[in-house]
Amino acid sequence: MEVEGQNKFHKGRCLCADKGVDVVLPKNIEKFEIIPPSPSCGKQEIIVTLKSTERKCLNPESKFTQNFIKRALEKI
């Protein structure tokens, strides 16, 4: 599993159009990215890439997302 914190600047918009999904099966996650707030997007975004190469935004406020990040950081 790969954990990245990236400070990417995008062209004035957020990558996640809505609040994101609350739950994704952990076994289907290939990698995830935590993108902090920036001048072009004022909210933190958490994006997972699934093994099917599909990308989904996770709801940063869901218990699943918070627990998933906590467990991933403990493994580092």
Side-chain angles (χ1 to χ4, degrees):
M1 179 180 303
E2 194 173 313
V3 179
E4 297 177 351
Q6 300 176 346
N7 192 6
K8 292 183 177 179
F9 291 95
H10 303 285
K11 296 184 179 181
R13 60 181 65 180
C14 298
L15 294 174
C16 300
D18 56 13
K19 71 174 187 165
V21 296
D22 289 331
V23 178
V24 173
L25 279 175
K27 68 179 183 178
N28 292 337
I29 296 174
E30 183 75 26
K31 75 172 192 172
F32 76 97
E33 302 171 82
I34 300 172
I35 302 173
S38 69
S40 61
C41 179
K43 64 180 182 176
Q44 179 183 42
E45 297 181 294
I46 300 158
I47 302 170
V48 292
T49 303
L50 304 177
K51 291 180 180 172
S52 66
T53 69
E54 182 182 6
R55 294 180 76 184
K56 292 202 178 270
C57 294
L58 293 180
N59 178 358
E61 297 175 11
S62 78
K63 282 203 179 287
F64 168 81
T65 302
Q66 292 172 5
N67 288 334
F68 183 80
I69 292 170
K70 182 180 174 187
R71 283 193 307 269
L73 292 175
E74 287 171 354
K75 290 181 180 181
I76 296 177

